[in-house]
Amino acid sequence: RAIFFYNQALKLNGDKSKIYDNLAVVYSDIGDLDKTIYCLQKSLLLSPDNLKIRQRYIFYLPYNFETKKLYRQETLKYSEKI
C-alpha cells in the first residue's frame, strides 16, 4: 500500500527526493534491494548534498540482503555479550 501512495506522491509537485528516499526504505523492508538502490540513486540525483541519503546508499550498495541479515545477526550476538 505504501508503495502505491508514494508513487502517487511522485506525480505531484512535492519533495521528490524525500519521496524516493522513503520508497527506498519501503523496498528495503520488503527485501527488494534493486528497487531500494534505484530509489536511493534517484533521491541522490535530486539532493546530492543530503548526507542521510548518501549514508543509506553507501550502506546498501555493497551488500545483498543475505549478507546484511548475517551482519545483523552477528551484531546482535556481539551486543548481547557486552
Side-chain angles (χ1 to χ4, degrees):
R1 257 183 127 178
I3 293 169
F4 171 79
F5 288 113
Y6 282 124
N7 282 321
Q8 292 300 312
L10 285 171
K11 295 176 184 177
L12 304 172
N13 289 332
D15 185 352
K16 291 186 179 186
S17 176
K18 281 187 179 182
I19 296 168
Y20 277 116
D21 186 42
N22 290 336
L23 262 172
V25 172
V26 173
Y27 282 124
S28 170
D29 288 346
I30 63 172
D32 192 333
L33 180 61
D34 291 334
K35 288 184 180 175
T36 300
I37 292 173
Y38 171 80
C39 288
L40 288 171
Q41 288 172 335
K42 295 288 276 186
S43 186
L44 272 175
L45 285 173
L46 296 167
S47 296
D49 296 328
N50 187 314
L51 183 59
K52 180 183 86 170
I53 297 168
R54 281 181 174 200
Q55 289 172 332
R56 188 170 298 147
Y57 181 71
I58 290 168
F59 175 77
Y60 282 108
L61 199 55
Y63 298 106
N64 62 33
F65 280 95
E66 192 59 34
T67 303
K68 286 195 323 189
K69 181 179 172 185
L70 291 172
Y71 174 78
R72 288 180 183 156
Q73 289 172 349
E74 291 302 315
T75 303
L76 287 173
K77 285 181 193 176
Y78 178 76
S79 63
E80 288 172 358
K81 290 179 183 180
I82 296 178

